[in-house]
Amino acid sequence: MRILLLDLGTESLREVKHVLSSQGYEINTGASLTVDEVLALSPEVLITEATPSDLSCCGLISQIKAAPDPRNLKIVMIVHGGALERARALDLGADDVISFPFEPIEFAARIRTQFRERQPELELEAKLNDALQKERLAETAVEALSGGTSARRRFWLMPAILVLSAAVVLAALATVISNRRSRKDALQLKAEIARLNGGILQQGELLRRAEQARASLPASDAAGTRDSLRAQTKEIRQKIAADGDNDSLKRQLQETENRLNRLESEGRVAETIVHTFGPSICLLHVVVQFRDHDSGQLIRFSADATGKPQVDDKGMVSLDTEGTGPPLEIDVFGTGFLVAGDGRLLTNHHVAEPWWSDEEMKQLLERGAVAFAASYTAYFPGTSDGIAAKIERISPVADLATLKLQSPAPPHITLLQLDDRSGASVTGDAVVLIGYPAGIDGILARAGTDVARGVAENAHELTQVVSRLAAQRLIRPTTTQGHIGDVLKDKIVYDAATTSGGSGGPLFNRDGKVIGVNFAMLSDFGGSNLAIPIRYANELMK
């Protein structure tokens, strides 16, 4: 595991080496290297540094990211400043950013995270190449079929077919739950159905996805940071007691206590928000089906006499408007929250209509399929049953939509308060994000291996799995804390962690009011996200 320390200052270089020296990494240092010289050293993680004065003109990151194969190199930047400087570094393309001085435990954990993220990408590249080959074969088949005169339309699912062992598993299209993720991410674990033979959900695949989600779930490190600051405070006090009056130690103590007080205050705010509004934030389950554009018939799997999907010699599963197998379905998960007493929920447009502006689904739609939401179900924390919902309105100007519950909302939930004032979002302010990152996979991951195995056992479809989780009251949102990095006209940049499935989650300010709706993550960095300012929902609420 190779790390390159590039252009670090004397103090930061000493601290970084101290933190990483016992971690077993191969560490090289360099200064004023060109991009070619950096790549020639073949580092897996590059750690560099910038100050507020030179950050805006730093071109090294963008040049490296423009290289032919930038995914093999993760870039961590150390900045001297706060949220604004971190946000600017992320905009340049850094994979992670940390302010100096940093907590050694946190810095080491961030570096380990970069190495963990590289391995799935490398494995996925091989899968992607295989999927692309199958897609080309499928496109050839589509072209041949589209030129025929048969009255019965046939469709072929392209990259979502994988042959695992002796069984044929269909990962039917890639579900885009959040952020219009890239093709490589979509092919990884975002297919929300995995059908074995006659439409049976494969338990092993579901549990594997839950295990992978366990490693990628966002976590708030606020508790660990508070413990570290308390330990530092105690250590500094002991030094002061031993050394007597020491202005440097006193200043250090004051700074450490200020940071600790701020974190504890933010922690209390987050606890209040979660307790008050957490029950009002629901998991949205959207089932998408497809019709033939010309005939209006439902697109189904073609099945043989035994009910198993028909597969050709290239591993492609056939879809047919007159098929006898189950309908082609995609299960999409996102987040929604209650904003009106009449049962209205606010979420993202791309959650309510997952095929909207999604390149993966477009490939099927362009071949004559029409997507539609067969059902919407909202699962609130603490309830044992889902509530059916219908789409109400779609925003024409932002990635927002409202759904309407078809039954009364649970009596224990509270309407979220919206703050659309221009001054409600301030750069550097603390924020709290609540949602369902990683969707059903994330819920299974948090439930634990034994519980996940029991819930998934003998389940034939994801709807059964979600219902079982609800019955055991295991559907609960995840909460992360962070700070606003920048406030733009049409978006709020912040660093409270999330991942796919968190789309539609409310972003709270320290007053406990919703200032935005999470909708995307900055490219190549899972720790900095984007929210739509809540004022864009005003038209939907009329």
Side-chain angles (χ1 to χ4, degrees), residues 286-351:
V286 185
V287 178
V288 179
Q289 294 183 351
F290 301 86
R291 291 193 182 96
D292 171 33
H293 181 273
D294 295 335
S295 68
Q297 291 180 295
L298 200 62
I299 297 175
R300 299 177 176 272
F301 293 107
S302 295
D304 58 22
T306 64
K308 296 181 180 180
Q310 294 179 353
V311 182
D312 64 16
D313 57 356
K314 296 182 178 63
M316 304 303 293
V317 177
S318 178
L319 300 170
D320 199 320
T321 56
E322 296 182 12
T324 57
L328 170 62
E329 289 185 350
I330 299 176
D331 294 89
V332 179
F333 294 95
T335 302
F337 55 96
L338 195 67
V339 292
D342 59 3
R344 269 180 292 176
L345 303 173
L346 187 62
T347 187
N348 290 131
H349 184 180
H350 75 266
V351 172

Side-chain angles (χ1 to χ4, degrees), residues 69-115:
D69 196 11
R71 67 172 175 80
N72 285 331
L73 176 57
K74 294 290 187 179
I75 299 176
V76 177
M77 178 170 279
I78 299 171
V79 299
H80 293 259
L84 179 59
E85 285 71 33
R86 293 194 298 271
R88 293 168 66 189
L90 293 172
D91 288 336
L92 286 172
D95 296 289
D96 198 358
V97 184
I98 190 168
S99 295
F100 189 86
F102 48 72
E103 298 297 330
I105 295 176
E106 178 187 8
F107 184 80
R110 288 185 182 230
I111 299 302
R112 290 194 297 270
T113 298
Q114 297 306 317
F115 281 104

Side-chain angles (χ1 to χ4, degrees), residues 418-439:
L418 312 182
D419 192 343
D420 60 0
R421 296 177 299 111
S422 59
S425 306
V426 179
T427 300
D429 274 5
V431 290
V432 176
L433 178 67
I434 305 181
Y436 294 87

Side-chain angles (χ1 to χ4, degrees), residues 178-383:
S178 177
N179 318 330
R180 266 67 50 86
R181 298 293 299 276
S182 66
R183 181 182 188 81
K184 66 180 182 181
D185 292 327
L187 287 173
Q188 186 178 17
L189 282 178
K190 303 313 169 193
E192 293 299 343
I193 58 171
R195 297 182 180 277
L196 176 62
N197 296 335
I200 301 176
L201 182 69
Q202 189 190 39
Q203 178 183 348
E205 171 69 6
L206 188 61
L207 294 176
R208 182 182 69 83
R209 285 161 40 188
E211 286 300 317
Q212 290 205 4
R214 193 189 313 278
S216 65
L217 283 175
S220 174
D221 57 5
T225 303
R226 287 197 294 269
D227 291 341
S228 177
L229 289 173
R230 291 190 185 104
Q232 288 182 40
T233 300
K234 182 178 180 181
E235 182 180 351
I236 297 171
R237 288 184 182 278
Q238 291 173 346
K239 289 181 180 180
I240 292 176
D243 298 345
D245 278 344
N246 186 312
D247 291 339
S248 177
L249 285 175
K250 288 181 178 179
R251 286 194 299 271
Q252 188 177 352
L253 177 62
Q254 185 63 50
E255 292 174 358
T256 304
E257 289 181 336
N258 289 342
R259 290 182 61 192
L260 179 59
N261 291 335
R262 185 171 65 252
L263 279 176
E264 290 179 338
S265 175
E266 292 172 0
R268 289 191 293 270
V269 170
E271 291 174 2
T272 300
I273 291 173
V274 172
H275 177 75
T276 305
F277 300 111
S280 305
I281 300 167
C282 63
L283 173 73
L284 287 177
H285 180 198
V286 185
V287 178
V288 179
Q289 294 183 351
F290 301 86
R291 291 193 182 96
D292 171 33
H293 181 273
D294 295 335
S295 68
Q297 291 180 295
L298 200 62
I299 297 175
R300 299 177 176 272
F301 293 107
S302 295
D304 58 22
T306 64
K308 296 181 180 180
Q310 294 179 353
V311 182
D312 64 16
D313 57 356
K314 296 182 178 63
M316 304 303 293
V317 177
S318 178
L319 300 170
D320 199 320
T321 56
E322 296 182 12
T324 57
L328 170 62
E329 289 185 350
I330 299 176
D331 294 89
V332 179
F333 294 95
T335 302
F337 55 96
L338 195 67
V339 292
D342 59 3
R344 269 180 292 176
L345 303 173
L346 187 62
T347 187
N348 290 131
H349 184 180
H350 75 266
V351 172
E353 293 185 342
W355 57 90
W356 173 70
S357 191
D358 168 44
E359 296 302 323
E360 290 295 326
M361 291 196 193
K362 277 184 178 179
Q363 296 181 46
L364 185 62
L365 302 183
E366 288 172 354
R367 286 164 173 78
V370 177
F372 66 97
S375 65
Y376 296 96
T377 309
Y379 293 89
F380 289 91
T383 59

Side-chain angles (χ1 to χ4, degrees), residues 192 206 209 283 333 438-445 462 465-466 469:
E192 293 299 343
L206 188 61
R209 285 161 40 188
L283 173 73
F333 294 95
I440 193 69
D441 296 347
I443 295 173
L444 287 171
L462 278 181
V465 175
V466 184
L469 288 169

